[in-house]
Amino acid sequence: MSDYYNQDNRYDSGEAEGDRGLGFFKGNNNQQQQQQQRPNQYAPPQGPPPGPSGPSQSHYGQNPYGNSPQGPRPGSNMVGGSQYGGNMPGGGYSQEEIDKNQRNERYKDWGTKAGIAALGAAAIGAAAYGIHEWREDKEEEKEEEEKRKREEEETKARLRREEEERRRREQQQQQQHHQGSGYGGGYHQQQQQQHHQPSPPRYGSDSGGGFQPPVPMGCRPYTYDQNDVRHANPARSSENSPTPREYPQLRHVGNDNTIKMGSIIALKHNMTGRFLHTDRSHSTQTGSNQQLVFGFRWNPDENDWWQVLPANHDVPVPGAIVSYGTQIRLRHLQTGRHLHSHYNYRDPKCGQNEITAYGDQTLSDENDHWVVERWGTGSYGQTWDANDAIVLRHYVSGMTLHSHDIMFSEDVQSVTCFGPGGEENDKWRVKFE
């Protein structure tokens, strides 16, 4: 047995124990080198297999257990030439594994850099988007401001034109008054001369005389100036008035276009097409705190209907025909308030005298009185026909019911009391249910 180990493993019987140990490790190193030369089940063979090594060939040749017929060394744990088993690969790393590890490291480095670059690009994109949105917001604000300024300039220009037209009409009215042919006193004086005595107030009759309101009675002629403040006569209020508080509601059918006391009508502004409207949800913001009257939509709704009533202290019979030149009141059907105007409170958009809905069946004053005229001619004494364009003149101030394309908000068009009544914006038309 000792000869077997000396021949195959190059042990010397004369070696010292330490030398034998050193020789064992040397033998192991040789075994590892030979294992590296043997075919590996984990890698393809590198070159031709080793040939025979002569008589002194080791048992690590073709046979993994050696060429010795005696087999492996008894008591040894070595299988396949390795003390740890034949399936254990060599102790070093192959070049392929080293290259693979280096590639993986490079891939990780590239992935980190790519992630950082992506985050940076995303941050730059977010910042650019934020700047873009901020610029768009600024541009929209600038456009809104420019639009608001244009609307203000247009409103101012329109008001200047209306004021110039008012002054021109005022001059014409004053000239007509001095010539004795103007509305009010001059016309009233002509009627008195024709009849040789004052005519009592009459509602539509066969004579067509109608009611001719004074200009106003006992006061100077109208000036249509907002600063020429005139006060309602307290004697012509609903207090102690013999006028009935209610009149039968008359709804027109067929071809009957004659307006009567008690008729239910809607008033459509001729220029803008919007209907005269009021409701409980809108109030003035000027200090009067009364119910706002404004132009609403182009088709009448339930809040656009008004009843024609006589002035306070007048007592016509229900259904009496109304003539141009007659003082009337218009009572809103839904809220029971009267079409009203006054001094000292002005429309916040244009500065003209405001129009409101005021009072109720038991509360009414002279500021609820309006004189109905045919637009352009007056036609005092002739029958009020629904086909005619009309003007409603506020009896106390002499100014007329007026509207224009100045808006408080969507579907809330400004309605005022303004001017002598010669403009297209003073023209209204009657509509029946």
Side-chain angles (χ1 to χ4, degrees):
M1 296 294 289
S2 62
D3 291 338
Y4 172 82
Y5 285 110
N6 285 335
Q7 180 182 357
D8 291 341
N9 294 307
R10 301 175 187 172
Y11 284 119
D12 236 350
S13 60
E15 288 178 348
E17 191 67 28
D19 293 335
R20 290 176 61 187
L22 181 59
F24 175 77
F25 286 107
K26 288 179 180 179
N28 283 344
N29 288 336
N30 292 334
Q31 292 171 11
Q32 291 177 2
Q33 290 176 2
Q34 290 176 1
Q35 277 185 336
Q36 291 177 3
Q37 293 175 0
R38 292 173 57 196
N40 192 336
Q41 62 176 328
Y42 301 105
Q46 314 237 345
S53 58
S56 61
Q57 180 182 357
S58 171
H59 69 280
Y60 295 105
Q62 301 274 338
N63 188 345
Y65 300 102
N67 294 328
S68 173
Q70 289 88 354
R73 178 179 176 180
S76 173
N77 291 328
M78 296 172 61
V79 179
S82 173
Q83 63 176 334
Y84 301 107
N87 293 330
M88 186 69 181
Y93 290 101
S94 67
Q95 185 63 35
E96 182 181 0
E97 292 175 334
I98 294 173
D99 293 342
K100 183 177 180 181
N101 289 337
Q102 290 176 348
R103 283 197 301 273
N104 290 339
E105 290 298 326
R106 286 197 298 272
Y107 292 157
K108 290 179 181 179
D109 185 50
W110 293 344
T112 302
K113 291 180 179 179
I116 294 173
L119 289 175
I124 293 172
Y129 179 77
I131 293 172
H132 175 72
E133 291 295 316
W134 178 79
R135 287 179 177 175
E136 282 193 347
D137 291 341
K138 286 295 183 182
E139 289 176 358
E140 290 178 358
E141 291 177 1
K142 184 178 179 181
E143 290 177 358
E144 289 292 332
E145 182 65 19
E146 291 176 353
K147 181 180 178 182
R148 186 185 63 79
K149 289 181 179 180
R150 286 196 303 270
E151 291 178 350
E152 288 180 355
E153 291 297 328
E154 291 174 357
T155 300
K156 290 179 181 178
R158 186 184 302 110
L159 294 177
R160 284 196 297 268
R161 291 194 299 269
E162 291 180 353
E163 182 64 20
E164 291 173 359
E165 180 67 17
R166 184 192 67 79
R167 291 177 181 176
R168 186 180 66 82
R169 293 285 182 180
E170 180 181 340
Q171 292 176 356
Q172 291 179 351
Q173 291 286 343
Q174 289 176 351
Q175 291 175 358
Q176 292 175 358
H177 174 71
H178 292 311
Q179 295 172 0
S181 58
Y183 166 81
Y187 180 83
H188 189 60
Q189 291 170 1
Q190 289 179 358
Q191 293 298 314
Q192 287 181 342
Q193 291 173 1
Q194 291 177 4
H195 293 282
H196 304 291
Q197 59 182 0
S199 298
R202 291 179 298 167
Y203 289 81
S205 61
D206 294 337
S207 65
F211 173 67
Q212 294 79 41
V215 189
M217 186 175 292
C219 298
R220 60 191 181 281
Y222 294 125
T223 62
Y224 315 110
D225 185 354
Q226 291 173 284
N227 296 319
D228 181 16
V229 178
R230 302 179 182 222
H231 300 284
N233 183 356
R236 300 196 68 202
S237 69
S238 58
E239 186 177 358
N240 300 321
S241 172
T243 306
R245 293 181 177 178
E246 294 186 30
Y247 268 70
Q249 297 181 5
L250 303 180
R251 288 174 167 81
H252 289 247
V253 294
N255 296 323
D256 183 10
N257 294 319
T258 301
I259 309 300
K260 306 175 181 68
M261 282 298 159
S263 292
I264 305 300
I265 64 173
L267 290 174
K268 184 174 185 177
H269 189 239
N270 193 69
M271 284 295 291
T272 63
R274 295 182 183 268
F275 281 87
L276 192 70
H277 179 102
T278 189
D279 55 53
R280 292 185 175 89
S281 62
H282 291 82
S283 299
T284 62
Q285 304 297 319
T286 59
S288 65
N289 297 320
Q290 296 179 9
Q291 192 168 290
L292 182 67
V293 173
F294 54 94
F296 193 47
R297 295 177 179 169
W298 296 275
N299 293 309
D301 70 5
E302 61 181 5
N303 284 309
D304 295 342
W305 299 105
W306 306 78
Q307 184 179 22
V308 178
L309 297 176
N312 291 311
H313 292 269
D314 290 339
V315 192
V317 297
I321 295 174
V322 181
S323 298
Y324 292 121
T326 302
Q327 288 187 56
I328 63 169
R329 290 178 298 160
L330 291 175
R331 178 179 293 165
H332 189 243
L333 281 189
Q334 288 294 319
T335 63
R337 301 184 185 278
H338 303 100
L339 187 68
H340 180 95
S341 186
H342 41 218
Y343 289 94
N344 301 324
Y345 297 103
R346 300 185 180 183
D347 186 292
K349 285 285 187 178
C350 62
Q352 298 169 4
N353 285 0
E354 72 176 9
I355 295 288
T356 66
Y358 169 79
D360 53 36
Q361 294 179 352
T362 63
L363 179 61
S364 176
D365 62 20
E366 198 176 32
N367 278 325
D368 302 337
H369 292 187
W370 300 84
V371 179
V372 57
E373 304 172 358
R374 178 184 287 156
W375 187 83
T377 61
S379 299
Y380 311 123
Q382 298 182 22
T383 299
W384 182 5
D385 191 289
N387 293 320
D388 294 338
I390 64 166
V391 169
L392 287 174
R393 186 179 305 280
H394 188 238
Y395 178 72
V396 174
S397 67
M399 292 181 275
T400 57
L401 186 67
H402 178 95
S403 190
H404 34 219
D405 56 356
I406 297 175
M407 308 294 291
F408 288 107
S409 61
E410 185 178 2
D411 289 332
V412 181
Q413 178 175 291
S414 168
V415 174
T416 65
C417 190
F418 174 79
E423 297 183 21
E424 287 288 334
N425 279 331
D426 304 328
K427 187 188 295 185
W428 299 81
R429 292 189 178 276
V430 171
K431 298 294 179 182
F432 294 133
E433 287 183 296

